[in-house]
PDB file of all heavy atoms in Angstrom:
ATOM      1  N   GLY A   1       0.816  -1.211   0.000  1.00  0.00           N
ATOM      2  CA  GLY A   1       0.000   0.000   0.000  1.00  0.00           C
ATOM      3  C   GLY A   1       0.847   1.257   0.000  1.00  0.00           C
ATOM      4  O   GLY A   1       0.531   2.246  -0.665  1.00  0.00           O
ATOM      5  N   ARG A   2       1.947   1.220   0.745  1.00  0.00           N
ATOM      6  CA  ARG A   2       2.825   2.390   0.791  1.00  0.00           C
ATOM      7  C   ARG A   2       3.542   2.594  -0.542  1.00  0.00           C
ATOM      8  O   ARG A   2       3.703   3.730  -0.999  1.00  0.00           O
ATOM      9  CB  ARG A   2       3.826   2.247   1.934  1.00  0.00           C
ATOM     10  CG  ARG A   2       3.158   2.341   3.310  1.00  0.00           C
ATOM     11  CD  ARG A   2       4.170   2.333   4.439  1.00  0.00           C
ATOM     12  NE  ARG A   2       4.934   3.570   4.478  1.00  0.00           N
ATOM     13  CZ  ARG A   2       5.878   3.831   5.391  1.00  0.00           C
ATOM     14  NH1 ARG A   2       6.177   2.920   6.302  1.00  0.00           N
ATOM     15  NH2 ARG A   2       6.527   4.969   5.368  1.00  0.00           N
ATOM     16  N   ILE A   3       3.966   1.499  -1.157  1.00  0.00           N
ATOM     17  CA  ILE A   3       4.561   1.626  -2.487  1.00  0.00           C
ATOM     18  C   ILE A   3       3.522   2.148  -3.472  1.00  0.00           C
ATOM     19  O   ILE A   3       3.807   3.013  -4.309  1.00  0.00           O
ATOM     20  CB  ILE A   3       5.139   0.283  -2.964  1.00  0.00           C
ATOM     21  CG1 ILE A   3       6.301  -0.144  -2.056  1.00  0.00           C
ATOM     22  CG2 ILE A   3       5.620   0.390  -4.410  1.00  0.00           C
ATOM     23  CD1 ILE A   3       6.878  -1.505  -2.382  1.00  0.00           C
ATOM     24  N   GLY A   4       2.306   1.645  -3.357  1.00  0.00           N
ATOM     25  CA  GLY A   4       1.228   2.108  -4.229  1.00  0.00           C
ATOM     26  C   GLY A   4       0.985   3.597  -4.114  1.00  0.00           C
ATOM     27  O   GLY A   4       0.738   4.278  -5.114  1.00  0.00           O
ATOM     28  N   ALA A   5       1.062   4.130  -2.895  1.00  0.00           N
ATOM     29  CA  ALA A   5       0.851   5.567  -2.700  1.00  0.00           C
ATOM     30  C   ALA A   5       1.936   6.379  -3.403  1.00  0.00           C
ATOM     31  O   ALA A   5       1.662   7.448  -3.968  1.00  0.00           O
ATOM     32  CB  ALA A   5       0.832   5.887  -1.208  1.00  0.00           C
ATOM     33  N   ILE A   6       3.167   5.884  -3.381  1.00  0.00           N
ATOM     34  CA  ILE A   6       4.270   6.578  -4.055  1.00  0.00           C
ATOM     35  C   ILE A   6       4.084   6.535  -5.567  1.00  0.00           C
ATOM     36  O   ILE A   6       4.203   7.556  -6.264  1.00  0.00           O
ATOM     37  CB  ILE A   6       5.619   5.946  -3.673  1.00  0.00           C
ATOM     38  CG1 ILE A   6       5.863   6.050  -2.171  1.00  0.00           C
ATOM     39  CG2 ILE A   6       6.761   6.625  -4.431  1.00  0.00           C
ATOM     40  CD1 ILE A   6       7.068   5.250  -1.686  1.00  0.00           C
ATOM     41  N   VAL A   7       3.780   5.331  -6.088  1.00  0.00           N
ATOM     42  CA  VAL A   7       3.587   5.179  -7.524  1.00  0.00           C
ATOM     43  C   VAL A   7       2.431   6.055  -7.987  1.00  0.00           C
ATOM     44  O   VAL A   7       2.509   6.724  -9.029  1.00  0.00           O
ATOM     45  CB  VAL A   7       3.334   3.697  -7.877  1.00  0.00           C
ATOM     46  CG1 VAL A   7       2.959   3.539  -9.351  1.00  0.00           C
ATOM     47  CG2 VAL A   7       4.571   2.859  -7.556  1.00  0.00           C
ATOM     48  N   HIS A   8       1.353   6.070  -7.218  1.00  0.00           N
ATOM     49  CA  HIS A   8       0.192   6.896  -7.569  1.00  0.00           C
ATOM     50  C   HIS A   8       0.592   8.358  -7.695  1.00  0.00           C
ATOM     51  O   HIS A   8       0.265   9.019  -8.687  1.00  0.00           O
ATOM     52  CB  HIS A   8      -0.894   6.741  -6.498  1.00  0.00           C
ATOM     53  CG  HIS A   8      -2.153   7.494  -6.812  1.00  0.00           C
ATOM     54  ND1 HIS A   8      -3.298   6.874  -7.250  1.00  0.00           N
ATOM     55  CD2 HIS A   8      -2.441   8.829  -6.770  1.00  0.00           C
ATOM     56  CE1 HIS A   8      -4.232   7.773  -7.462  1.00  0.00           C
ATOM     57  NE2 HIS A   8      -3.730   8.978  -7.175  1.00  0.00           N
ATOM     58  N   PHE A   9       1.307   8.872  -6.696  1.00  0.00           N
ATOM     59  CA  PHE A   9       1.697  10.288  -6.732  1.00  0.00           C
ATOM     60  C   PHE A   9       2.590  10.587  -7.923  1.00  0.00           C
ATOM     61  O   PHE A   9       2.387  11.582  -8.629  1.00  0.00           O
ATOM     62  CB  PHE A   9       2.414  10.672  -5.439  1.00  0.00           C
ATOM     63  CG  PHE A   9       3.007  12.052  -5.502  1.00  0.00           C
ATOM     64  CD1 PHE A   9       2.201  13.175  -5.347  1.00  0.00           C
ATOM     65  CD2 PHE A   9       4.363  12.233  -5.756  1.00  0.00           C
ATOM     66  CE1 PHE A   9       2.733  14.449  -5.450  1.00  0.00           C
ATOM     67  CE2 PHE A   9       4.906  13.502  -5.853  1.00  0.00           C
ATOM     68  CZ  PHE A   9       4.080  14.620  -5.688  1.00  0.00           C
ATOM     69  N   LEU A  10       3.579   9.738  -8.173  1.00  0.00           N
ATOM     70  CA  LEU A  10       4.517  10.002  -9.261  1.00  0.00           C
ATOM     71  C   LEU A  10       3.865   9.850 -10.630  1.00  0.00           C
ATOM     72  O   LEU A  10       4.326  10.441 -11.612  1.00  0.00           O
ATOM     73  CB  LEU A  10       5.727   9.076  -9.152  1.00  0.00           C
ATOM     74  CG  LEU A  10       6.644   9.323  -7.946  1.00  0.00           C
ATOM     75  CD1 LEU A  10       7.783   8.308  -7.923  1.00  0.00           C
ATOM     76  CD2 LEU A  10       7.207  10.753  -7.962  1.00  0.00           C
ATOM     77  N   ASP A  11       2.773   9.094 -10.697  1.00  0.00           N
ATOM     78  CA  ASP A  11       2.123   8.876 -11.992  1.00  0.00           C
ATOM     79  C   ASP A  11       1.037   9.906 -12.274  1.00  0.00           C
ATOM     80  O   ASP A  11       0.949  10.419 -13.391  1.00  0.00           O
ATOM     81  CB  ASP A  11       1.522   7.468 -12.051  1.00  0.00           C
ATOM     82  CG  ASP A  11       1.224   7.031 -13.478  1.00  0.00           C
ATOM     83  OD1 ASP A  11       2.105   7.187 -14.343  1.00  0.00           O
ATOM     84  OD2 ASP A  11       0.117   6.538 -13.732  1.00  0.00           O
ATOM     85  N   VAL A  12       0.233  10.227 -11.281  1.00  0.00           N
ATOM     86  CA  VAL A  12      -0.903  11.129 -11.542  1.00  0.00           C
ATOM     87  C   VAL A  12      -1.010  12.285 -10.556  1.00  0.00           C
ATOM     88  O   VAL A  12      -1.928  13.101 -10.644  1.00  0.00           O
ATOM     89  CB  VAL A  12      -2.241  10.348 -11.563  1.00  0.00           C
ATOM     90  CG1 VAL A  12      -2.251   9.336 -12.694  1.00  0.00           C
ATOM     91  CG2 VAL A  12      -2.518   9.667 -10.226  1.00  0.00           C
ATOM     92  N   GLY A  13      -0.096  12.368  -9.599  1.00  0.00           N
ATOM     93  CA  GLY A  13      -0.164  13.467  -8.631  1.00  0.00           C
ATOM     94  C   GLY A  13      -1.002  13.102  -7.424  1.00  0.00           C
ATOM     95  O   GLY A  13      -1.360  11.957  -7.195  1.00  0.00           O
ATOM     96  N   GLY A  14      -1.299  14.117  -6.610  1.00  0.00           N
ATOM     97  CA  GLY A  14      -2.076  13.908  -5.389  1.00  0.00           C
ATOM     98  C   GLY A  14      -1.253  14.204  -4.158  1.00  0.00           C
ATOM     99  O   GLY A  14      -0.455  15.150  -4.142  1.00  0.00           O
ATOM    100  N   ILE A  15      -1.426  13.406  -3.119  1.00  0.00           N
ATOM    101  CA  ILE A  15      -0.699  13.598  -1.867  1.00  0.00           C
ATOM    102  C   ILE A  15       0.685  12.978  -1.991  1.00  0.00           C
ATOM    103  O   ILE A  15       0.828  11.819  -2.353  1.00  0.00           O
ATOM    104  CB  ILE A  15      -1.468  12.961  -0.691  1.00  0.00           C
ATOM    105  CG1 ILE A  15      -2.840  13.629  -0.542  1.00  0.00           C
ATOM    106  CG2 ILE A  15      -0.679  13.078   0.605  1.00  0.00           C
ATOM    107  CD1 ILE A  15      -3.742  12.963   0.465  1.00  0.00           C
ATOM    108  N   GLN A  16       1.720  13.765  -1.665  1.00  0.00           N
ATOM    109  CA  GLN A  16       3.095  13.303  -1.857  1.00  0.00           C
ATOM    110  C   GLN A  16       3.629  12.560  -0.639  1.00  0.00           C
ATOM    111  O   GLN A  16       3.820  13.146   0.419  1.00  0.00           O
ATOM    112  CB  GLN A  16       4.020  14.480  -2.171  1.00  0.00           C
ATOM    113  CG  GLN A  16       5.467  14.055  -2.388  1.00  0.00           C
ATOM    114  CD  GLN A  16       6.336  15.178  -2.879  1.00  0.00           C
ATOM    115  OE1 GLN A  16       5.896  16.296  -3.056  1.00  0.00           O
ATOM    116  NE2 GLN A  16       7.608  14.881  -3.108  1.00  0.00           N
ATOM    117  N   PRO A  17       3.907  11.254  -0.772  1.00  0.00           N
ATOM    118  CA  PRO A  17       4.571  10.531   0.314  1.00  0.00           C
ATOM    119  C   PRO A  17       6.015  11.014   0.447  1.00  0.00           C
ATOM    120  O   PRO A  17       6.624  11.465  -0.540  1.00  0.00           O
ATOM    121  CB  PRO A  17       4.531   9.066  -0.148  1.00  0.00           C
ATOM    122  CG  PRO A  17       3.473   9.024  -1.206  1.00  0.00           C
ATOM    123  CD  PRO A  17       3.529  10.356  -1.872  1.00  0.00           C
ATOM    124  N   PRO A  18       6.598  10.940   1.633  1.00  0.00           N
ATOM    125  CA  PRO A  18       7.954  11.458   1.825  1.00  0.00           C
ATOM    126  C   PRO A  18       9.014  10.763   0.974  1.00  0.00           C
ATOM    127  O   PRO A  18      10.042  11.348   0.661  1.00  0.00           O
ATOM    128  CB  PRO A  18       8.206  11.238   3.325  1.00  0.00           C
ATOM    129  CG  PRO A  18       7.176  10.258   3.773  1.00  0.00           C
ATOM    130  CD  PRO A  18       6.000  10.452   2.887  1.00  0.00           C
ATOM    131  N   GLU A  19       8.775   9.506   0.582  1.00  0.00           N
ATOM    132  CA  GLU A  19       9.772   8.774  -0.189  1.00  0.00           C
ATOM    133  C   GLU A  19       9.683   9.019  -1.695  1.00  0.00           C
ATOM    134  O   GLU A  19      10.521   8.542  -2.466  1.00  0.00           O
ATOM    135  CB  GLU A  19       9.633   7.261   0.058  1.00  0.00           C
ATOM    136  CG  GLU A  19       9.733   6.833   1.518  1.00  0.00           C
ATOM    137  CD  GLU A  19       8.412   6.935   2.268  1.00  0.00           C
ATOM    138  OE1 GLU A  19       7.381   7.321   1.637  1.00  0.00           O
ATOM    139  OE2 GLU A  19       8.386   6.636   3.471  1.00  0.00           O
ATOM    140  N   ALA A  20       8.677   9.767  -2.135  1.00  0.00           N
ATOM    141  CA  ALA A  20       8.419   9.901  -3.574  1.00  0.00           C
ATOM    142  C   ALA A  20       9.572  10.566  -4.319  1.00  0.00           C
ATOM    143  O   ALA A  20       9.975  10.100  -5.392  1.00  0.00           O
ATOM    144  CB  ALA A  20       7.129  10.682  -3.805  1.00  0.00           C
ATOM    145  N   ALA A  21      10.105  11.648  -3.766  1.00  0.00           N
ATOM    146  CA  ALA A  21      11.170  12.366  -4.472  1.00  0.00           C
ATOM    147  C   ALA A  21      12.400  11.487  -4.652  1.00  0.00           C
ATOM    148  O   ALA A  21      13.045  11.505  -5.718  1.00  0.00           O
ATOM    149  CB  ALA A  21      11.534  13.635  -3.708  1.00  0.00           C
ATOM    150  N   GLY A  22      12.726  10.693  -3.634  1.00  0.00           N
ATOM    151  CA  GLY A  22      13.884   9.809  -3.737  1.00  0.00           C
ATOM    152  C   GLY A  22      13.702   8.746  -4.798  1.00  0.00           C
ATOM    153  O   GLY A  22      14.611   8.482  -5.602  1.00  0.00           O
ATOM    154  N   LEU A  23      12.509   8.115  -4.819  1.00  0.00           N
ATOM    155  CA  LEU A  23      12.260   7.083  -5.820  1.00  0.00           C
ATOM    156  C   LEU A  23      12.269   7.682  -7.219  1.00  0.00           C
ATOM    157  O   LEU A  23      12.839   7.093  -8.150  1.00  0.00           O
ATOM    158  CB  LEU A  23      10.917   6.394  -5.553  1.00  0.00           C
ATOM    159  CG  LEU A  23      10.549   5.288  -6.552  1.00  0.00           C
ATOM    160  CD1 LEU A  23      11.567   4.156  -6.511  1.00  0.00           C
ATOM    161  CD2 LEU A  23       9.151   4.746  -6.291  1.00  0.00           C
ATOM    162  N   GLU A  24      11.688   8.849  -7.376  1.00  0.00           N
ATOM    163  CA  GLU A  24      11.673   9.507  -8.686  1.00  0.00           C
ATOM    164  C   GLU A  24      13.095   9.778  -9.165  1.00  0.00           C
ATOM    165  O   GLU A  24      13.425   9.548 -10.331  1.00  0.00           O
ATOM    166  CB  GLU A  24      10.883  10.809  -8.605  1.00  0.00           C
ATOM    167  CG  GLU A  24      10.805  11.548  -9.934  1.00  0.00           C
ATOM    168  CD  GLU A  24      10.035  12.842  -9.832  1.00  0.00           C
ATOM    169  OE1 GLU A  24      10.041  13.469  -8.755  1.00  0.00           O
ATOM    170  OE2 GLU A  24       9.419  13.247 -10.841  1.00  0.00           O
ATOM    171  N   ALA A  25      13.949  10.259  -8.265  1.00  0.00           N
ATOM    172  CA  ALA A  25      15.326  10.567  -8.639  1.00  0.00           C
ATOM    173  C   ALA A  25      16.075   9.310  -9.070  1.00  0.00           C
ATOM    174  O   ALA A  25      16.799   9.308 -10.079  1.00  0.00           O
ATOM    175  CB  ALA A  25      16.046  11.253  -7.474  1.00  0.00           C
ATOM    176  N   VAL A  26      15.909   8.229  -8.310  1.00  0.00           N
ATOM    177  CA  VAL A  26      16.609   6.982  -8.632  1.00  0.00           C
ATOM    178  C   VAL A  26      16.128   6.415  -9.973  1.00  0.00           C
ATOM    179  O   VAL A  26      16.939   6.045 -10.841  1.00  0.00           O
ATOM    180  CB  VAL A  26      16.420   5.937  -7.512  1.00  0.00           C
ATOM    181  CG1 VAL A  26      16.967   4.585  -7.944  1.00  0.00           C
ATOM    182  CG2 VAL A  26      17.108   6.403  -6.237  1.00  0.00           C
ATOM    183  N   LEU A  27      14.813   6.357 -10.170  1.00  0.00           N
ATOM    184  CA  LEU A  27      14.289   5.801 -11.420  1.00  0.00           C
ATOM    185  C   LEU A  27      14.650   6.680 -12.618  1.00  0.00           C
ATOM    186  O   LEU A  27      14.923   6.177 -13.711  1.00  0.00           O
ATOM    187  CB  LEU A  27      12.772   5.633 -11.329  1.00  0.00           C
ATOM    188  CG  LEU A  27      12.273   4.579 -10.336  1.00  0.00           C
ATOM    189  CD1 LEU A  27      10.756   4.493 -10.372  1.00  0.00           C
ATOM    190  CD2 LEU A  27      12.889   3.215 -10.618  1.00  0.00           C
ATOM    191  N   SER A  28      14.654   7.978 -12.406  1.00  0.00           N
ATOM    192  CA  SER A  28      15.054   8.883 -13.488  1.00  0.00           C
ATOM    193  C   SER A  28      16.502   8.641 -13.877  1.00  0.00           C
ATOM    194  O   SER A  28      16.849   8.611 -15.071  1.00  0.00           O
ATOM    195  CB  SER A  28      14.865  10.340 -13.046  1.00  0.00           C
ATOM    196  OG  SER A  28      15.272  11.229 -14.057  1.00  0.00           O
ATOM    197  N   GLY A  29      17.369   8.434 -12.874  1.00  0.00           N
ATOM    198  CA  GLY A  29      18.761   8.138 -13.160  1.00  0.00           C
ATOM    199  C   GLY A  29      18.931   6.830 -13.905  1.00  0.00           C
ATOM    200  O   GLY A  29      19.714   6.733 -14.859  1.00  0.00           O
ATOM    201  N   LEU A  30      18.180   5.811 -13.496  1.00  0.00           N
ATOM    202  CA  LEU A  30      18.257   4.521 -14.179  1.00  0.00           C
ATOM    203  C   LEU A  30      17.757   4.638 -15.621  1.00  0.00           C
ATOM    204  O   LEU A  30      18.336   4.044 -16.545  1.00  0.00           O
ATOM    205  CB  LEU A  30      17.428   3.475 -13.431  1.00  0.00           C
ATOM    206  CG  LEU A  30      17.935   3.062 -12.044  1.00  0.00           C
ATOM    207  CD1 LEU A  30      16.968   2.060 -11.408  1.00  0.00           C
ATOM    208  CD2 LEU A  30      19.328   2.463 -12.131  1.00  0.00           C
ATOM    209  N   ARG A  31      16.702   5.404 -15.802  1.00  0.00           N
ATOM    210  CA  ARG A  31      16.120   5.541 -17.139  1.00  0.00           C
ATOM    211  C   ARG A  31      17.085   6.225 -18.109  1.00  0.00           C
ATOM    212  O   ARG A  31      17.106   5.927 -19.298  1.00  0.00           O
ATOM    213  CB  ARG A  31      14.818   6.339 -17.031  1.00  0.00           C
ATOM    214  CG  ARG A  31      13.836   6.129 -18.198  1.00  0.00           C
ATOM    215  CD  ARG A  31      12.498   6.672 -17.789  1.00  0.00           C
ATOM    216  NE  ARG A  31      11.471   6.404 -18.776  1.00  0.00           N
ATOM    217  CZ  ARG A  31      10.951   7.317 -19.576  1.00  0.00           C
ATOM    218  NH1 ARG A  31      11.401   8.552 -19.528  1.00  0.00           N
ATOM    219  NH2 ARG A  31       9.997   7.009 -20.423  1.00  0.00           N
ATOM    220  N   SER A  32      17.874   7.156 -17.575  1.00  0.00           N
ATOM    221  CA  SER A  32      18.856   7.822 -18.434  1.00  0.00           C
ATOM    222  C   SER A  32      20.113   6.985 -18.626  1.00  0.00           C
ATOM    223  O   SER A  32      20.899   7.226 -19.544  1.00  0.00           O
ATOM    224  CB  SER A  32      19.232   9.185 -17.827  1.00  0.00           C
ATOM    225  OG  SER A  32      19.868   9.026 -16.571  1.00  0.00           O
ATOM    226  N   THR A  33      20.293   5.981 -17.782  1.00  0.00           N
ATOM    227  CA  THR A  33      21.479   5.113 -17.860  1.00  0.00           C
ATOM    228  C   THR A  33      21.270   3.952 -18.827  1.00  0.00           C
ATOM    229  O   THR A  33      22.177   3.585 -19.585  1.00  0.00           O
ATOM    230  CB  THR A  33      21.833   4.558 -16.473  1.00  0.00           C
ATOM    231  OG1 THR A  33      22.090   5.649 -15.580  1.00  0.00           O
ATOM    232  CG2 THR A  33      23.051   3.650 -16.536  1.00  0.00           C
ATOM    233  N   PHE A  34      20.058   3.365 -18.799  1.00  0.00           N
ATOM    234  CA  PHE A  34      19.787   2.158 -19.593  1.00  0.00           C
ATOM    235  C   PHE A  34      18.858   2.474 -20.763  1.00  0.00           C
ATOM    236  O   PHE A  34      17.705   2.869 -20.559  1.00  0.00           O
ATOM    237  CB  PHE A  34      19.152   1.081 -18.713  1.00  0.00           C
ATOM    238  CG  PHE A  34      20.049   0.598 -17.605  1.00  0.00           C
ATOM    239  CD1 PHE A  34      19.858   1.036 -16.301  1.00  0.00           C
ATOM    240  CD2 PHE A  34      21.082  -0.285 -17.862  1.00  0.00           C
ATOM    241  CE1 PHE A  34      20.676   0.603 -15.270  1.00  0.00           C
ATOM    242  CE2 PHE A  34      21.908  -0.728 -16.849  1.00  0.00           C
ATOM    243  CZ  PHE A  34      21.715  -0.280 -15.546  1.00  0.00           C
ATOM    244  N   GLU A  35      19.370   2.296 -21.976  1.00  0.00           N
ATOM    245  CA  GLU A  35      18.546   2.468 -23.168  1.00  0.00           C
ATOM    246  C   GLU A  35      17.698   1.222 -23.428  1.00  0.00           C
ATOM    247  O   GLU A  35      16.619   1.307 -23.998  1.00  0.00           O
ATOM    248  CB  GLU A  35      19.428   2.762 -24.387  1.00  0.00           C
ATOM    249  CG  GLU A  35      20.138   4.102 -24.338  1.00  0.00           C
ATOM    250  CD  GLU A  35      19.172   5.267 -24.439  1.00  0.00           C
ATOM    251  OE1 GLU A  35      18.083   5.095 -25.032  1.00  0.00           O
ATOM    252  OE2 GLU A  35      19.499   6.349 -23.920  1.00  0.00           O
ATOM    253  N   ASP A  36      18.217   0.072 -22.993  1.00  0.00           N
ATOM    254  CA  ASP A  36      17.502  -1.198 -23.173  1.00  0.00           C
ATOM    255  C   ASP A  36      16.476  -1.359 -22.054  1.00  0.00           C
ATOM    256  O   ASP A  36      16.806  -1.302 -20.871  1.00  0.00           O
ATOM    257  CB  ASP A  36      18.500  -2.358 -23.140  1.00  0.00           C
ATOM    258  CG  ASP A  36      17.817  -3.693 -23.373  1.00  0.00           C
ATOM    259  OD1 ASP A  36      17.360  -4.302 -22.377  1.00  0.00           O
ATOM    260  OD2 ASP A  36      17.737  -4.116 -24.534  1.00  0.00           O
ATOM    261  N   ASP A  37      15.208  -1.548 -22.411  1.00  0.00           N
ATOM    262  CA  ASP A  37      14.142  -1.594 -21.418  1.00  0.00           C
ATOM    263  C   ASP A  37      14.242  -2.806 -20.498  1.00  0.00           C
ATOM    264  O   ASP A  37      13.862  -2.730 -19.330  1.00  0.00           O
ATOM    265  CB  ASP A  37      12.766  -1.570 -22.106  1.00  0.00           C
ATOM    266  CG  ASP A  37      12.447  -0.205 -22.688  1.00  0.00           C
ATOM    267  OD1 ASP A  37      13.179   0.763 -22.377  1.00  0.00           O
ATOM    268  OD2 ASP A  37      11.475  -0.100 -23.463  1.00  0.00           O
ATOM    269  N   ASP A  38      14.756  -3.932 -20.991  1.00  0.00           N
ATOM    270  CA  ASP A  38      14.929  -5.103 -20.125  1.00  0.00           C
ATOM    271  C   ASP A  38      15.985  -4.830 -19.051  1.00  0.00           C
ATOM    272  O   ASP A  38      15.821  -5.219 -17.892  1.00  0.00           O
ATOM    273  CB  ASP A  38      15.330  -6.324 -20.953  1.00  0.00           C
ATOM    274  CG  ASP A  38      14.175  -6.869 -21.789  1.00  0.00           C
ATOM    275  OD1 ASP A  38      13.050  -6.943 -21.254  1.00  0.00           O
ATOM    276  OD2 ASP A  38      14.398  -7.203 -22.961  1.00  0.00           O
ATOM    277  N   LYS A  39      17.054  -4.154 -19.431  1.00  0.00           N
ATOM    278  CA  LYS A  39      18.092  -3.805 -18.459  1.00  0.00           C
ATOM    279  C   LYS A  39      17.586  -2.765 -17.465  1.00  0.00           C
ATOM    280  O   LYS A  39      17.911  -2.808 -16.278  1.00  0.00           O
ATOM    281  CB  LYS A  39      19.342  -3.303 -19.181  1.00  0.00           C
ATOM    282  CG  LYS A  39      20.050  -4.376 -19.985  1.00  0.00           C
ATOM    283  CD  LYS A  39      21.287  -3.829 -20.687  1.00  0.00           C
ATOM    284  CE  LYS A  39      21.999  -4.920 -21.486  1.00  0.00           C
ATOM    285  NZ  LYS A  39      23.190  -4.410 -22.205  1.00  0.00           N
ATOM    286  N   LEU A  40      16.797  -1.822 -17.974  1.00  0.00           N
ATOM    287  CA  LEU A  40      16.195  -0.829 -17.085  1.00  0.00           C
ATOM    288  C   LEU A  40      15.311  -1.515 -16.056  1.00  0.00           C
ATOM    289  O   LEU A  40      15.381  -1.221 -14.853  1.00  0.00           O
ATOM    290  CB  LEU A  40      15.372   0.167 -17.909  1.00  0.00           C
ATOM    291  CG  LEU A  40      14.460   1.124 -17.136  1.00  0.00           C
ATOM    292  CD1 LEU A  40      15.262   2.002 -16.178  1.00  0.00           C
ATOM    293  CD2 LEU A  40      13.650   1.989 -18.109  1.00  0.00           C
ATOM    294  N   LEU A  41      14.488  -2.455 -16.497  1.00  0.00           N
ATOM    295  CA  LEU A  41      13.592  -3.158 -15.584  1.00  0.00           C
ATOM    296  C   LEU A  41      14.379  -3.967 -14.562  1.00  0.00           C
ATOM    297  O   LEU A  41      14.046  -3.974 -13.369  1.00  0.00           O
ATOM    298  CB  LEU A  41      12.653  -4.065 -16.369  1.00  0.00           C
ATOM    299  CG  LEU A  41      11.633  -4.849 -15.546  1.00  0.00           C
ATOM    300  CD1 LEU A  41      10.718  -3.905 -14.779  1.00  0.00           C
ATOM    301  CD2 LEU A  41      10.813  -5.768 -16.445  1.00  0.00           C
ATOM    302  N   ALA A  42      15.435  -4.644 -15.010  1.00  0.00           N
ATOM    303  CA  ALA A  42      16.242  -5.442 -14.088  1.00  0.00           C
ATOM    304  C   ALA A  42      16.837  -4.568 -12.995  1.00  0.00           C
ATOM    305  O   ALA A  42      16.877  -4.950 -11.817  1.00  0.00           O
ATOM    306  CB  ALA A  42      17.349  -6.168 -14.856  1.00  0.00           C
ATOM    307  N   ALA A  43      17.296  -3.374 -13.363  1.00  0.00           N
ATOM    308  CA  ALA A  43      17.849  -2.452 -12.364  1.00  0.00           C
ATOM    309  C   ALA A  43      16.758  -1.948 -11.432  1.00  0.00           C
ATOM    310  O   ALA A  43      16.962  -1.815 -10.217  1.00  0.00           O
ATOM    311  CB  ALA A  43      18.538  -1.293 -13.066  1.00  0.00           C
ATOM    312  N   ALA A  44      15.579  -1.660 -11.974  1.00  0.00           N
ATOM    313  CA  ALA A  44      14.476  -1.166 -11.157  1.00  0.00           C
ATOM    314  C   ALA A  44      13.980  -2.207 -10.172  1.00  0.00           C
ATOM    315  O   ALA A  44      13.502  -1.867  -9.081  1.00  0.00           O
ATOM    316  CB  ALA A  44      13.326  -0.700 -12.054  1.00  0.00           C
TER     317      ALA A  44
END
């Protein structure tokens, strides 16, 4: 449920959980690092 709240905020907005900014930063970094979607998913 807590992960769901973070994903919800990062996808459509709403109430921001405290961990949201950190997860967004990490996933954004991974997305810019891996061009291959399978490798991106494995890292995520």
Side-chain angles (χ1 to χ4, degrees):
R2 291 186 70 179
I3 296 176
I6 299 171
V7 173
H8 183 105
F9 172 78
L10 292 178
D11 198 48
V12 297
I15 299 173
Q16 180 172 1
E19 303 85 1
L23 180 62
E24 181 181 30
V26 171
L27 293 181
S28 179
L30 293 178
R31 202 166 186 253
S32 64
T33 301
F34 296 103
E35 293 292 333
D36 182 272
D37 288 349
D38 288 317
K39 292 180 180 179
L40 169 60
L41 181 60

